[in-house]
Amino acid sequence: MTETEKGCDFTELKEWCLAIPKIELHAHLNGCIRDSTLLELAEVLGERGEIVFDDVKHVINKYGRTLTECFQLFDLFHILATDHETISRITKEAVEDFAAENVVYLELRTTPKNNETKGMTKRSYLKAVINGLRSVESVNVSFINPNGRTESFYDPLQKGGLTVLEKKRIYVRLLLSIDRRETTAAAMETVSLALEMRELGVVGIDLSGNPIVGEWNSFFPALKYAKEMGLPITLHCGEVANKKEIQAMLDFCPERIGHACFLEDDDWEKAILLKIPIEICLTSNLRTERLSSIDLHHFGKLFKAKHPLVLCTDDTGLFSTSLSNEYHLAATTFGLDKESILQLSTNAIHYVFADNELKKTLREIFQAYDKRLVDDFSL
Ligand code: 6MZ
């Protein structure tokens, strides 16, 4: 019997999913822009005559989107958020939004961009992201100092940012994304930048972008180089049916894969044998019509098989979702009780790309939350 069937109130479960500490490992910066910010940016560009505001407004407010429409929208987002200042702003807002959701560790991924007209290079883009992290004031953001030392705001007296008296804290690390549209040289540039910026909190590489664009062979050299240099890698894998590429990706043994909607039985056998953790994005897969109904999602069978899984949002702005919403959706669809939900969120610690010291801190945060629950029950 599910928690809901046992009479657990729907709203109460929703609030509980919001309250528990959570880890977000698959979130694209430009997919997490607030609608209000997008509209504001569009209005400014509209006034300058660079876009037709009414056309853009209609697109931003649209609810259902196919996968192809999502990628058209990303092109629009990239037009709206082109300058350094805006990149810093959307980073700041994304971190604030995840912290408000009680996300205690965030791996934010983004594609470094060159844009000559704005005087932007991949390096300056990334610096703008880091400036955005530094500018957050409403919560304590813990990332890595230029000297490579992890800033630790961890205070054992304020376990996991759960008291209301002090600011919440969120640990943030960055993944640099290679867009499938990029050339091998551009992908290589991103990996070099990630290596250079390791001391500033870059912990890995992601391969993303429109899954029907680009060839595995053109990304492979950069991904191989990243792997040789010890950078963990996560790949968008099987977002569309592409048997050959899925096989090549699994043979590459990435540290994690995202989506995995179109793996066939033999692919699953391999993924399970290799214990590759899967970043599950329920709402994204549903909204982009990767499956006809949420209860058919592969989360169900993987969860039963105890395969390493982590629930993620993908693009909170684009899909109007949040991490607590994803936990609630998983709980109500697959009949998870609170213990299983908390276990699922705690297990994510195993799959983060951050170092062991930070994993230990995260374990302490989750243990403190567990202890608080036990204390609450004994009242
Ligand atoms: C594949 C996706 C994605 O990097 O500009 N992106 N790639 N599948 C998805 N599922 C819907 N959602 C987002 O953030 C936006 C970029 O992330 C990738 C796309 O390349 C998109 O342009 P950044 O910050």
Side-chain angles (χ1 to χ4, degrees), residues 195 198 203 224-232 255:
L195 290 168
R198 261 178 150 174
V203 291
K224 183 166 165 278
Y225 175 55
K227 191 174 219 187
E228 283 163 2
M229 298 305 287
L231 272 177
E255 275 70 17

Side-chain angles (χ1 to χ4, degrees), residues 28-47:
H28 299 270
L29 173 60
N30 278 271
C32 294
I33 311 177
R34 294 174 185 164
D35 278 359
S36 55
T37 301
L38 279 175
L39 288 170
E40 196 187 313
L41 295 171
E43 207 160 1
V44 173
L45 289 194
E47 277 162 16

Side-chain angles (χ1 to χ4, degrees), residues 119-130:
M120 184 183 280
T121 61
K122 288 195 175 203
R123 182 175 290 98
S124 71
Y125 175 94
L126 191 53
K127 284 196 173 149
V129 170
I130 291 169

